[in-house]
């Protein structure tokens, strides 16, 4: 809306953490699929997925096929949430 509307504060409905070792792709995709199955609210949002601080290694593709889903991290500094594409 070109700055004419505030960014909506979408309620967190799912919280995930990165895999201890290896890929986090399945963790993220499973959370997206769960939230996609939820009914949207009056504004069309299904909910936000909070990605806790850490490194999420993603070797493939993550797909969001349903509208109204927000991915939210915990900070963008060195200790925040990082999504790293590890595939080719």
């Amino acid at each position: 809306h070109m700055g004419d509307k505030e960014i909506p504060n979408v309620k967190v409905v799912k919280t995930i953490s990165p895999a201890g070792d290896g890929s986090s792709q399945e963790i993220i995709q499973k959370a997206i699929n769960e939230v996609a199955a939820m009914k949207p609210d009056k504004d069309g949002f299904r909910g936000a997925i909070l990605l806790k601080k850490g490194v999420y290694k993603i070797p493939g593709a993550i797909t969001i096929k349903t509208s109204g889903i927000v991915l939210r991290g915990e900070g963008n500094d060195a200790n925040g949430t990082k999504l790293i594409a590890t595939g080719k």
Side-chain angles (χ1 to χ4, degrees), residues 12-70:
V12 173
V13 296
K14 182 80 178 172
T15 301
I16 61 174
S17 296
D21 187 32
S23 172
S24 295
Q25 181 174 332
E26 187 176 327
I27 295 168
I28 297 170
Q29 190 64 62
K30 182 179 176 187
I32 290 168
N33 294 347
E34 286 180 27
V35 175
M38 296 178 177
K39 183 179 178 184
D41 66 13
K42 64 179 179 58
D43 296 315
F45 292 106
R46 296 171 196 283
I49 300 168
L50 178 62
L51 286 78
K52 299 296 282 182
K53 293 179 182 180
V55 176
Y56 294 78
K57 295 177 182 175
I58 306 165
I62 293 174
T63 306
I64 301 176
K65 296 181 181 180
T66 307
S67 64
I69 299 172
V70 174

Side-chain angles (χ1 to χ4, degrees), residues 1-8 43 45:
H1 295 276
M2 303 170 92
D4 292 334
K5 286 188 174 183
E6 288 189 34
I7 296 173
D43 296 315
F45 292 106

Side-chain angles (χ1 to χ4, degrees), residues 63-84:
T63 306
I64 301 176
K65 296 181 181 180
T66 307
S67 64
I69 299 172
V70 174
L71 297 180
R72 182 180 298 152
E74 284 191 317
N76 60 359
D77 60 10
N79 296 316
T81 300
K82 294 181 184 179
L83 303 178
I84 307 294

